[in-house]
């Protein structure tokens, strides 16, 4: 599903890592580990197409990389990418529609993430954990095979970490794949890839 070969990434004058290679198969989760500053987020952003690597390649099986990034990939970063002044209902509808979800997908996401009591609130009124659940809803509403997650559980309590772990396992069981930058272990079986010590 994903092959990274010989990747070198820099931030300014500093090289984050050189000649990094990894692969991710259908049904597999990989946890990116390493100290702060090692380049975990930068690697995810390069795979998503937001950063241009200094060297190396990112391939999505036989798919065109641009098409794969547009239609087969979900990105959930540190920032939730939500508009604070919108009602949660409207923000979810916008995000889901932009990513091709229908009404049934939105309804399913609302149900499994228990979002109904939050929908009439403005996004800025939600707690960090509630915002993360709202951001996660687009992954459920508009299924895509590859999830790129940057510290996905940081603002969540134990209950919701466990609940989202169930959703992640269901995604893997359906043949999806997950690449996540983490400090704490994922709540699913995952192969660890340490990308460096950072600075």
């Amino acid at each position: 599903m994903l092959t990274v070969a010989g990747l070198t990434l820099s931030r300014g004058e500093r090289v984050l890592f050189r000649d990094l290679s990894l692969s991710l198969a259908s049904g597999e989760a990989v946890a990116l580990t390493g100290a702060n500053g090692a380049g975990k987020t930068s690697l995810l952003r390069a795979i998503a197409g937001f950063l241009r690597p200094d060297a190396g390649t990112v391939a999505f099986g036989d798919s065109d990389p641009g098409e794969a990034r547009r239609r087969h990939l979900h990105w959930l970063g540190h920032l939730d990418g939500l508009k604070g002044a919108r009602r949660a209902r409207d923000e979810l509808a916008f995000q889901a529609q932009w990513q091709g979800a229908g009404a049934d997908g939105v309804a399913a996401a609302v149900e499994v993430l228990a979002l109904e009591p939050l929908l009439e609130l403005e996004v800025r009124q939600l707690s960090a954990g509630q915002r993360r659940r709202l951001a996660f809803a687009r992954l459920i509403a508009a299924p895509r095979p590859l999830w790129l997650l940057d510290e996905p559980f940081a603002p969540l309590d134990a209950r919701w970490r466990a609940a989202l772990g169930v959703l992640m396992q269901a995604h893997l069981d359906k043949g999806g794949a997950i690449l996540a930058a983490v400090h704490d272990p994922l709540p699913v079986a995952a192969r660890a890839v340490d990308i460096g010590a950072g600075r």
Side-chain angles (χ1 to χ4, degrees), residues 93-101 144:
F94 170 79
Q95 295 268 350
Q97 183 178 14
W98 182 65
Q99 295 190 327
R144 293 181 173 188

Side-chain angles (χ1 to χ4, degrees), residues 81-130:
L82 304 171
K83 295 286 188 182
R86 280 190 181 138
R87 288 187 311 163
R89 180 185 306 280
D90 298 332
E91 182 63 11
L92 175 55
F94 170 79
Q95 295 268 350
Q97 183 178 14
W98 182 65
Q99 295 190 327
D104 289 347
V106 172
V110 168
E111 180 177 356
V112 300
L113 293 166
L115 295 174
E116 187 66 41
L118 310 178
L119 293 180
E120 298 308 317
L121 298 175
E122 291 184 351
V123 170
R124 63 187 167 199
Q125 295 175 298
L126 304 181
S127 71
Q130 290 169 337

